[in-house]
């Protein structure tokens, strides 16, 4: 399966960054390409099974993603596409926040990755899209949020 990956260091403690990132319903607050993000149904945003509806800027693209794993202790969660306008199948992604231990100030190491299946003609474009337009941009927005 093709994989995409991005990481960054954020100038805030891992606990501070996690307290913000852990909200499965706030992606529109830190990923500029997302216009709206809302939980659908009654499952809380920090429990496996929660489904969020994402609308991309301009409202043209709508995604539904299901939380499949959530772990406050490890500061990570995983989710998958329920439906998406992108030419991928079996998309699953994970985000993790960890402390940077070799710094004199509190910092967090944040990594975001995913894998998917796609037709051969779409693989490289989708790998780049997730790596740069989603994970890379989202992590840069997150880093900027914390200064």
């Amino acid at each position: 399966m093709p994989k995409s990956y991005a990481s960054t260091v954020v100038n805030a403690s891992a606990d501070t960054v996690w307290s913000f990132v852990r909200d499965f319903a706030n992606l529109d607050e830190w990923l500029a390409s997302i216009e709206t993000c809302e939980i659908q149904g009654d499952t809380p945003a920090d429990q496996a099974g929660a489904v969020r509806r994402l609308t991309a800027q301009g409202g043209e693209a709508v995604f539904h993603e299901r939380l499949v794993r959530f772990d406050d202790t490890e500061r990570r969660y995983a989710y998958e596409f329920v439906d998406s306008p992108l030419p991928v199948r079996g998309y699953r992604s994970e985000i993790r926040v960890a402390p940077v231990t070799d710094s004199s100030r509190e910092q967090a190491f944040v990594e975001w990755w995913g894998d998917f299946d796609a037709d051969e003609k779409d693989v490289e474009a989708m790998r780049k899209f997730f790596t740069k337009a989603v994970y890379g941009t989202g992590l840069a927005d997150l880093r900027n949020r914390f200064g």
Side-chain angles (χ1 to χ4, degrees), residues 4-141:
S4 297
Y5 178 88
S7 63
T8 194
V9 174
V10 176
N11 287 320
S13 72
D15 287 338
T16 298
V17 175
W18 176 246
S19 69
F20 180 73
V21 170
R22 74 181 297 281
D23 185 352
F24 193 59
N26 78 347
L27 195 58
D28 57 336
E29 294 179 36
W30 60 279
L31 181 56
S33 62
I34 300 300
E35 188 172 298
T36 63
C37 177
E38 59 190 14
I39 297 295
Q40 297 190 310
D42 296 329
T43 306
D46 62 354
Q47 289 185 12
V51 174
R52 66 183 176 191
R53 180 182 189 273
L54 306 170
T55 305
Q57 289 295 337
E60 296 123 25
V62 175
F63 300 79
H64 290 89
E65 298 175 336
R66 179 183 305 113
L67 188 64
V68 294
R69 179 174 183 251
F70 184 90
D71 190 324
D72 265 328
T73 303
E74 293 185 16
R75 294 186 206 91
R76 68 191 317 153
Y77 67 75
Y79 62 93
E80 63 189 4
F81 280 166
V82 175
D83 59 65
S84 158
L86 299 175
V88 298
R89 301 174 297 277
Y91 174 86
R92 185 172 173 141
S93 184
E94 190 159 343
I95 190 164
R96 180 178 80 99
V97 179
V100 173
T101 61
D102 70 345
S103 176
S104 61
R105 59 183 171 173
E106 288 193 304
Q107 293 180 306
F109 176 70
V110 185
E111 55 185 340
W112 196 358
W113 68 92
D115 53 40
F116 59 90
D117 200 7
D119 292 344
E120 189 63 34
K121 66 181 178 55
D122 297 318
V123 167
E124 195 54 32
M126 288 294 94
R127 184 189 341 259
K128 287 179 182 176
F129 173 76
F130 290 122
T131 297
K132 297 195 182 304
V134 179
Y135 309 149
T137 299
L139 293 178
D141 291 347

